[in-house]
C-alpha cells in the first residue's frame, strides 16, 4: 500500500512491476489458502468425532457453507452494480435537464446580457480586490453545474462491486486470522515455535494479497485503506488475546469449538474462492483487454508470480 501511494507511477515503471507481481502473487496465495488451509480443515472438523451425530448424517456440510458464502457474495455484487446503474441513470437524467436549460438560456438574449454584465462586474471587483478572474469563472461554472448528482458512498461508484468484493475478502481473511490467533495461543509448547514461524509467513503472504486489492479501492486519501490495513494487522493479535483469555477453559475438541471453526473456515473458503476466480483470475486476466494486449514478458511474469504464490502458500500447509 505504501509503494502504491508513495508517488505517482506509470505502466512499466519499477513501482508498477512490483505491484503487478504482488497482485498476481496474492491471487495465488488466496487460491492456496482456500484449497489447502481452509477447505480441508473445514472438512476435517465436520468429520470430527467430537461433533453430535446430527452433523455426521450429511458429509458435505463444508461444501454447503462454502457455496452459501459464494452465493451471498454474488448477491452483494449484483446489489452494488444495480445501485450504480440506478445512480448513473439518475445522473444522466439530471444532466440532460441541465443541458436543456442551458440551451434555452443560450437563445435568450436577456440572459446573455445579464451574464456579460455579471462578468464585467466581477472584472471590476477583480481590479478593486485583486481576486482572480479564474476563481470567479469557476464560481459561475459551479453555479451552472449545481444540479448534478454526486455520489461518494460505498455502493455509489462505478467500481462499487470491486469495493464490496474487497471488503468481503477482508472479512473472510479476518475471520481466518482470528481463528489462527486462538489456535496459536492454545498450541502446546513443543509445536509453538514451528507454528509461529509458519503463521508469520502465512499472514505476510495474505497481507500482500489483501494490500494489492485495497490499492484498487475507489477512495480519496489514506483513510479507508489505512483502516482496512490496520484492521487486518490487529486481528491475529486479537485472536491471540482471546486465546490467552480463555486458555484455562478452552477445549479445542469441544463440539462448539470444532463446529464454529468448521463453519467459519467453510465460509471463508467460499469468499476467497469466489474472489480469486471471479474477481481476479477472470476479471483481471481473461476479461481484461489491457492484460490480453500486454507483452508476453508481462504475461509470463504475472502467471509465474501467481503460481509461485500458490506454491509457497501450499508449502506452508505442511506446518500450518
Amino acid at each position: 500500500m505504501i509503494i502504491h501511494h508513495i508517488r505517482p507511477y506509470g505502466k512499466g515503471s519499477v513501482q508498477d512491476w512490483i505491484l503487478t507481481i504482488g497482485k498476481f502473487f496474492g491471487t495465488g496465495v488466496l487460491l492456496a489458502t482456500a484449497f489447502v488451509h481452509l477447505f480441508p480443515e473445514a472438512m476435517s472438523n465436520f468429520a470430527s468425532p467430537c461433533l453430535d451425530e446430527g452433523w455426521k448424517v450429511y458429509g458435505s456440510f463444508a461444501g454447503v457453507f462454502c457455496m452459501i458464502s459464494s452465493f451471498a457474495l454474488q448477491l452483494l455484487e449484483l446489489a452494488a452494480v444495480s445501485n450504480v446503474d440506478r445512480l448513473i441513470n439518475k445522473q444522466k437524467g439530471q444532466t440532460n435537464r441541465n443541458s436543456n436549460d442551458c440551451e434555452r438560456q443560450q437563445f435568450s438574449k436577456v440572459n446573455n446580457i445579464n451574464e456579460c454584465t455579471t462578468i464585467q462586474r466581477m472584472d471590476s471587483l477583480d481590479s478593486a480586490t485583486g481576486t482572480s478572474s479564474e476563481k470567479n469563472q469557476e464560481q459561475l461554472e459551479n453555479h451552472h453545474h449545481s444540479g448534478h448528482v454526486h455520489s461518494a458512498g460505498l455502493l455509489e461508484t462505478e467500481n462499487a462491486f470491486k469495493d464490496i468484493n474487497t471488503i468481503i475478502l477482508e472479512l473472510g481473511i479476518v475471520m481466518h486470522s482470528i481463528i489462527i490467533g486462538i489456535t496459536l495461543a492454545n498450541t502446546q509448547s513443543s509445536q509453538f515455535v514451528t507454528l509461529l514461524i509458519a503463521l508469520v509467513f502465512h499472514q505476510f503472504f495474505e497481507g500482500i494479497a489483501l494490500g494489492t486489492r485495497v490499492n484498487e479501492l475507489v477512495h480519496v486519501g489514506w483513510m479507508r485503506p489505512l483502516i482496512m490495513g490496520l484492521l487486518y494487522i490487529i486481528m491475529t493479535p486479537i485472536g491471540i488475546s482471546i486465546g490467552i483469555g480463555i486458555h484455562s477453559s478452552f477445549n479445542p475438541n469441544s463440539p462448539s469449538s470444532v463446529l464454529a471453526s468448521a463453519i467459519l473456515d467453510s465460509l471463508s473458503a467460499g469468499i476467497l474462492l469466489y474472489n480469486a476466480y471471479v474477481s481476479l483470475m477472470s476479471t483481471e486476466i481473461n476479461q481484461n483487454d489491457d492484460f490480453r494486449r500486454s507483452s508476453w514478458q508481462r504475461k509470463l511474469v504475472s502467471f509465474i508470480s501467481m503460481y509461485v504464490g500458490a506454491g509457497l502458500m501450499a508449502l506452508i500447509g505442511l506446518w500450518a
Side-chain angles (χ1 to χ4, degrees), residues 38 42 62 64-70 172 175 261-273:
L38 294 175
V64 169
F65 283 103
C66 180
M67 185 171 57
I68 288 173
S69 65
S70 63
M175 289 192 300
S261 179
I263 293 175
L264 290 177
D265 281 343
S266 301
L267 295 175
S268 298
I271 291 171
L272 298 190
L273 287 173

Side-chain angles (χ1 to χ4, degrees), residues 169-209:
L169 171 64
E170 174 151 14
L171 175 62
I173 293 177
V174 160
M175 289 192 300
H176 183 45
S177 297
I178 293 176
I179 295 174
I180 284 176
I182 295 174
T183 303
L184 183 63
N186 291 277
T187 300
Q188 297 177 0
S189 58
S190 59
Q191 302 173 341
F192 180 82
V193 175
T194 302
L195 182 61
L196 176 62
I197 294 172
L199 290 184
V200 165
F201 285 99
H202 180 283
Q203 293 301 92
F204 174 69
F205 293 154
E206 277 194 348
I208 293 176

